[in-house]
Amino acid sequence: MAEHNEGFVLTTVDSITNFVRRTVAAKAIDLGAPVVNWARKSALWPMTFGLACCAIEMMATGAGRFDIDRFGAGVFRPSPRQSDLIIIAGTVTLKMGPVVRRVYDQMPEPKWVISMGACASTGGPFDSYSTMQGVDRTIPVDVYIPGCPPRPEALLYGLMRLQDIIMREAPSSYIFDSDGTVHRQRSFDGEDQLQLAQANEAARIALAAR
């Protein structure tokens, strides 16, 4: 069946527009990536969202002694529509999982996730029927912070690692990906070699213990 002329014209115009956006506009935006990413990492707005005892450490991080405002991340917002960072601080139950996902979906792009503490990252000591064994089963996580609970210094370190990730991102990926996916590089330079060296050292120790 032949397509209507108007539909053919609109489809052609859309194809040309998308081609220009992905080739010319995307490259033009990515030329300014260092400035855009610096602005993003220096003005993170975390979501006011705490689930359990790790939230106490998160609140301490925002207090005067540790002062997360030094990193530009002290503006905790009461609405996910005003936030670009959600810190999962505490135990995530299976009943709470859909709520966490709904809050995450309401956050505008670009957005990032920090999993704070053992409970949020792996379920912690609660290997039970009601506890989600890691929040990454419902939302993507950019930085994991170990500890039960982690101290405020650990949260600040995790925030700095997130800032390193943001500085390597392509701003155009949030604007021109039609399928809504964002391709992020979550690994750091040299991490593969470090993990390989650690695995070899662990194997050597295991063999020596036999």
Side-chain angles (χ1 to χ4, degrees):
M1 180 181 294
E3 187 176 3
H4 191 272
N5 289 334
E6 184 180 357
F8 175 77
V9 171
L10 291 177
T11 304
T12 305
V13 171
D14 287 343
S15 299
I16 296 174
T17 303
N18 288 333
F19 175 77
V20 173
R21 289 170 61 193
R22 291 179 179 275
T23 55
V24 179
K27 290 181 180 179
I29 290 178
D30 287 341
L31 286 176
V35 177
V36 174
N37 291 336
W38 172 83
R40 286 176 173 172
K41 79 161 191 173
S42 302
L44 290 170
W45 286 11
M47 172 69 190
T48 305
F49 190 79
L51 292 174
C53 43
C54 280
I56 304 299
E57 300 295 326
M58 182 175 64
M59 287 185 277
T61 310
R65 181 177 179 183
F66 299 96
D67 193 16
I68 199 173
D69 254 327
R70 294 176 293 158
F71 301 89
V75 187
F76 282 83
R77 306 307 298 168
S79 169
R81 294 172 181 84
Q82 302 172 355
S83 307
D84 53 11
L85 169 63
I86 182 170
I87 303 173
I88 306 298
T91 311
V92 183
T93 61
L94 294 177
K95 191 173 183 179
M96 193 67 184
V99 179
V100 174
R101 180 69 195 193
R102 189 181 310 128
V103 171
Y104 176 80
D105 288 340
Q106 290 176 353
M107 295 168 58
E109 292 284 359
K111 55 188 174 184
W112 301 276
V113 178
I114 291 179
S115 178
M116 181 179 179
C119 292
S121 301
T122 63
F126 306 109
D127 188 8
S128 64
Y129 70 93
S130 61
T131 304
M132 184 177 293
Q133 303 302 303
V135 73
D136 53 1
R137 299 193 178 193
T138 184
I139 60 175
V141 176
D142 296 287
V143 175
Y144 294 89
I145 302 175
C148 184
R151 283 189 51 81
E153 295 93 341
L155 178 56
L156 292 178
Y157 179 73
L159 180 68
M160 288 188 285
R161 296 292 283 187
L162 178 62
Q163 289 178 328
D164 293 338
I165 292 175
I166 294 173
M167 283 301 294
R168 291 197 311 276
E169 290 183 344
S172 62
S173 63
Y174 294 99
I175 304 173
F176 299 110
D177 279 2
S178 59
D179 57 356
T181 59
V182 176
H183 305 287
R184 296 171 177 159
Q185 181 184 355
R186 290 190 170 91
S187 60
F188 292 86
D189 297 335
E191 275 195 351
D192 294 337
Q193 293 80 358
L194 177 61
Q195 292 175 356
L196 180 61
Q198 290 174 344
N200 292 336
E201 181 66 17
R204 185 188 65 79
I205 295 175
L207 289 175
R210 290 182 178 178

